[in-house]
Amino acid sequence: MSSLGRWGLHAALLALLCCSESGEAAFEVHIWPERLVVENGGSRTVNCSTSCANPDTGGLETTLEKTLLEDQPRWKSFWISNVSWDSVLFCYFTCAGEQQSKSLNVSMYQFPQQIILQLQPVWVTLGKPFTIECRVSAVKPLESLTLTLLRGKETLHSQTFNGGATDPQEARVTFNSTASKEDGLLNFSCQAELDLRSRGGDILRNISENKVLQVYEPPPENQMVIIVTVVSVLLFLFVMSVLLCFVFGQHWRQRRMGTYGVRAAWRRLPQVFRVQHM
Ligand SMILES: *[C@@H]1O[C@H](CO)[C@@H](O)[C@H](O)[C@H]1NC(C)=O
Ligand SMILES: *[C@@H]1O[C@H](CO)[C@@H](O)[C@H](O)[C@H]1NC(C)=O
Ligand SMILES: *[C@@H]1O[C@H](CO)[C@@H](O)[C@H](O)[C@H]1NC(C)=O
Ligand SMILES: *[C@@H]1O[C@H](CO)[C@@H](O)[C@H](O)[C@H]1NC(C)=O
């Protein structure tokens, strides 16, 4: 209601401004397309036209590179090239000494050339945390971007961004999760989507390479107990056998040494008797 009222007021003001002096019907200026979004460095055709039957002058004001393609009394078409920034085009015509103009916002867009997905770590134990990170190279407009982290076809996390005057710029999304069995069976991927519909464009999409998470499953607890027991017993047997070898070895050496000792004593014995006899 209020917007309608404002529109009415606006129209009345316009009528007052343009036609109060001459009393002529106002002529119109049109620009086509009504919305324009162009890829970085791209080019488009723009058409300026008027309802004035016999305009004095007309043209297009722009800071972008322009080439006049066709020049007709009631319309002119231009080739706008190398669109490298956002800008406003002004289309104007003069009719019976009066000028009218119409503006067109031109948005430049840049779809990310790279979409890089990383899983950190790549090997993870079941139930332990891991991080999914997706980075995209320079993108514009940032507020039209949505990054979606996928496991198979399922959406794990989706993020939109707040635009800034500094775009094109890189964007990043991270998501923390804990490893489940499914994580090891499905591919992870990251989808970048640039929705340019509000600016007169389409939805652009691309997807990263697939990444795989290696989920390591620890053996169940009772199995673990068996393994630990077996290892302990083997270790015990090994230690015991080493100990026994050592003890028997020592014993055998002593016995051998002991035998020699007794023999030596036996050999010495007659000598002693001999000395005693002499
Ligand atoms: C430009 O617009 C006028 C008016 O709508 C139309 O008659 C004309 O064919 C258009 N020219 C081009 C090249 O599209
Ligand atoms: C397009 O514009 C960019 C930035 O303004 C400039 O560096 C480049 O030389 C231009 N390219 C052409 C073909 O005019
Ligand atoms: C054009 O851009 C200006 C400033 O960015 C904004 O205020 C205006 O509403 C836009 N016009 C259209 C028709 O989108
Ligand atoms: C995972 O991705 C690879 C290569 O991108 C593909 O060959 C494989 O079929 C995919 N596996 C599943 C379960 O989608």
Side-chain angles (χ1 to χ4, degrees), residues 30 32 45-50 69-70 72 74-78:
H30 299 286
W32 181 91
T45 308
V46 169
N47 186 349
C48 288
S49 59
T50 179
L69 291 177
E70 226 175 314
Q72 298 288 327
R74 288 177 62 181
W75 60 266
K76 295 167 197 293
S77 68
F78 298 88

Side-chain angles (χ1 to χ4, degrees), residues 155-207:
T155 297
L156 292 176
H157 183 66
S158 197
Q159 190 164 324
T160 52
F161 298 83
N162 292 320
T166 51
D167 59 3
Q169 66 184 53
E170 295 181 354
R172 190 155 74 128
V173 59
T174 57
F175 181 68
N176 295 322
S177 184
T178 48
S180 68
K181 272 190 191 174
E182 278 213 307
D183 290 331
L185 301 173
L186 295 165
N187 284 324
F188 286 88
S189 59
C190 174
Q191 179 189 263
E193 183 182 285
L194 203 60
D195 185 350
L196 302 170
R197 285 177 301 177
S198 66
R199 293 160 195 269
D202 297 319
I203 300 180
L204 306 172
R205 283 195 196 94
N206 204 354
I207 199 153

Side-chain angles (χ1 to χ4, degrees), residues 224-270:
M224 201 73 193
V225 169
I226 293 168
I227 289 172
V228 167
T229 313
V230 166
V231 167
S232 308
V233 166
L234 284 175
L235 200 67
F236 175 75
L237 286 176
F238 175 73
V239 169
M240 281 311 284
S241 59
V242 166
L243 261 174
L244 283 174
C245 275
F246 181 75
V247 167
F248 277 115
Q250 238 2 37
H251 190 70
W252 181 75
R253 222 160 67 97
Q254 255 175 16
R255 269 180 51 183
R256 257 175 43 151
M257 292 288 281
T259 312
Y260 284 130
V262 171
R263 264 185 207 163
W266 272 109
R267 245 180 248 140
R268 267 201 309 276
L269 205 61

